[in-house]
Amino acid sequence: MTQKDIAFVFPGQGSQKVGMLAAAAAAYPIIGDTFAEASTVLGYDLWDLVQNGEQEQLNLTETTQPVLLTSSVALYRAWLAAGGAVPALMAGHSLGEFSALVCAGALEFSVAVKLVQQRGSFMQTAVPVGEGAMAAIIGLEDDAINAACAAAAAESGEVVAAVNFNSPGQVVIAGKSAAVEAAITLCKAAGAKRALPLPVSAPFHTELMRPAGEKLAEAMAAIEFSAPQVPVVHNVHAAMESDPAAIPELLVRQIYSPVQWTGCVQAMTAAGITRVVECGPGKVLSGLNRRIDKSLSSFNIEEPEALQNTVTELASA
């Protein structure tokens, strides 16, 4: 049964942590089954890496991407197994858009696991480790951040730009490390409350990622997408796309274009969404969504008790 006022959102990189989903896997066998399916595709034990690996390894993007995709899909399968309703809309933040497309039936899980591993590798090799950086700028208007990035880019001669419009007052910048540092300094001088470096290993969603986008396009050339069974709001233009032939281009553009998360959430509320379930580790998107629209009710289902309580609460409302 679909509930018209519910959306599911799927997190992107930065939400990964060693030991995540241990309790959920103990309660829902389908989570272990999903990780086993991914492990077969990848050729290594993904669950063992998540439970017993090093955080530094989890943070490498070619590892992070299959880890988070698998975590989100596993939780969505557990949600359905527990009797949870099918949402009316889905969206994912950056990498999370692939999780949304899998859960919406537009892309096979096994295909997506391999694809995001390749995507991570393409993105990592586009800029060597240590040469790129990302940082969240808190408490400064978008225009001021764009101006600081432009000034830092002009001064350094290197790329830096606003790349994730996460919520009013929170924008992520990315680019070459020195240019990002210069932009941080300018943002603070302009009145930013904080600037937080992010635990990622490449400057995502900048022009530096265009070569990765070209390689992703080649990797997707032989992949067949299906029409989403649940509409997905895409990062690039904060709109839905029902034509499966148009989806690959949106995923390619997403690699080197800003994530319009504020627009995505506004598009969902305009479509009648009042309750949003974050399907994946952490609560990053729930916090952002509240800043975008305080009327939204947010739910997290990473822990088994929270999952079951959310199934019950949303069914009875």
Side-chain angles (χ1 to χ4, degrees):
M1 182 182 72
T2 301
Q3 289 190 260
K4 294 182 179 180
D5 69 329
I6 296 173
F8 263 59
V9 295
F10 301 87
Q13 296 191 188
S15 293
Q16 68 278 3
K17 58 185 182 293
V18 173
M20 64 186 186
L21 300 191
Y28 298 101
I30 198 167
I31 289 179
D33 294 343
T34 303
F35 271 84
E37 189 179 342
S39 297
T40 298
V41 173
L42 297 169
Y44 62 89
D45 190 334
L46 191 64
W47 181 251
D48 181 66
L49 174 64
V50 169
Q51 298 306 309
N52 305 308
E54 299 293 330
Q55 187 66 42
E56 290 77 12
Q57 188 176 7
L58 280 186
N59 288 348
L60 287 174
T61 185
E62 63 186 284
T63 304
T64 309
Q65 298 206 22
V67 162
L68 286 175
L69 172 79
T70 303
S71 298
S72 288
V73 172
L75 280 173
Y76 187 67
R77 289 175 173 180
W79 167 265
L80 296 179
V86 175
L89 288 177
M90 292 182 176
H93 190 288
S94 187
L95 165 70
E97 191 165 291
F98 286 83
S99 304
L101 289 166
V102 171
C103 294
L107 182 60
E108 288 186 22
F109 174 58
S110 59
V111 173
V113 170
K114 185 63 177 177
L115 185 61
V116 299
Q117 182 191 41
Q118 292 175 306
R119 179 181 184 265
S121 178
F122 298 153
M123 294 169 81
Q124 190 64 72
T125 56
V127 178
V129 176
E131 291 190 13
M134 299 180 76
I137 307 299
I138 312 297
L140 191 61
E141 294 292 328
D142 293 358
D143 288 347
I145 295 172
N146 285 330
C149 288
E155 181 181 336
S156 66
E158 295 184 332
V159 171
V160 60
V163 296
N164 294 349
F165 293 92
N166 285 337
S167 69
Q170 188 191 119
V171 173
V172 172
I173 65 173
K176 287 295 188 78
S177 297
V180 170
E181 285 297 324
I184 286 173
T185 300
L186 292 172
C187 285
K188 287 180 176 178
K193 294 178 181 177
R194 286 192 295 169
L196 307 172
L198 299 182
V200 296
S201 53
F204 306 130
H205 305 295
T206 66
E207 277 294 320
L208 297 170
M209 291 290 113
R210 191 174 283 272
E214 293 169 356
K215 291 180 180 178
L216 182 67
E218 293 175 9
M220 288 193 295
I223 293 175
E224 186 173 345
F225 286 78
S226 301
Q229 296 165 16
V230 177
V232 174
V233 182
H234 292 271
N235 289 179
V236 169
H237 55 14
M240 290 163 261
E241 179 54 69
S242 59
D243 180 4
I247 293 173
E249 182 190 354
L250 294 174
L251 295 175
V252 169
R253 287 170 54 199
Q254 188 223 59
I255 280 190
Y256 54 80
S257 302
V259 173
Q260 304 290 346
W261 188 250
T262 298
C264 288
V265 174
Q266 290 171 339
M268 290 191 290
T269 58
I273 297 300
T274 61
R275 299 179 289 177
V276 180
V277 178
E278 184 166 1
C279 188
K283 300 180 179 179
V284 170
L285 297 183
S286 296
L288 297 180
N289 297 347
R290 280 193 293 271
R291 293 190 187 99
I292 296 167
D293 190 329
K294 290 182 172 59
S295 70
L296 285 173
S297 297
S298 295
F299 303 86
N300 302 89
I301 59 172
E302 181 180 1
E303 299 298 326
E305 184 178 359
L307 190 154
Q308 191 56 60
N309 288 344
T310 303
V311 168
T312 303
E313 183 172 348
L314 296 191
S316 62

